[in-house]
Amino acid sequence: MRETADQTTLAADIALDRTTTTGALKRLAARNLVERAINKDDRRARLCRLTPAGAALLVKIEGAARRAHRATLRDLSEREQALFIEMMQRIVAGNPSRDSAASLFD
C-alpha cells in the first residue's frame, strides 16, 4: 500500500473521474479518515494519506470485503476464479487512458 498518492492517481486507480474522487476524499477528510495536504512540488495538487483512524477502519473492513469477494466467486472452480481475475486484470490494464468507469461502457 502507498503512503501517499495524489488525487489524480487515486481517481485512475479506482476508475472514477477526478471530480467524483475529490468529492469522496473531501467527505473522508471531514470524517478524519484521510488527510489532503497541498503538494509542495505542485501547489495545485493534493497529496492524500490515511489518518490513523482511516487505517484502523481499513483494517476493520478489509476482512469483510475479502469474505464478500470470496462469496462472489465461490460457485466458480479454482481455475475459473483464476481465469476470471486474469481477465478482469487484462480489461483494466487495457484501458489505462480512461477518465472514469463510465468510459468502459461507451
Side-chain angles (χ1 to χ4, degrees):
M1 179 170 39
R2 294 184 193 107
E3 284 289 318
T4 63
D6 64 81
Q7 293 178 170
T8 301
T9 299
L10 290 173
D13 284 352
I14 60 175
L16 289 176
D17 62 82
R18 287 176 294 196
T19 303
T20 301
T21 302
T22 298
L25 288 166
K26 285 179 179 179
R27 290 187 298 279
L28 290 168
R31 295 178 60 200
N32 193 37
L33 298 173
V34 298
E35 296 172 344
R36 297 171 60 241
I38 294 173
N39 184 341
K40 64 180 171 84
D41 297 326
D42 179 356
R43 297 198 50 81
R44 298 168 297 166
R46 298 277 182 149
L47 290 177
C48 303
R49 78 170 21 175
L50 285 175
T51 63
L57 180 60
L58 178 61
V59 167
K60 183 178 177 180
I61 66 173
E62 189 171 23
R66 291 185 184 280
R67 286 189 298 279
H69 173 76
R70 284 193 299 275
T72 300
L73 300 179
R74 77 172 157 239
D75 290 336
L76 300 177
S77 70
E78 284 187 33
R79 177 162 163 33
E80 290 169 327
Q81 288 180 26
L83 183 59
F84 175 76
I85 298 296
E86 178 187 338
M87 288 188 295
M88 293 301 293
Q89 289 171 333
R90 286 175 51 198
I91 289 168
V92 170
N95 292 282
S97 63
R98 72 197 182 291
D99 285 345
S100 72
S103 67
L104 295 174
F105 302 104
D106 292 339

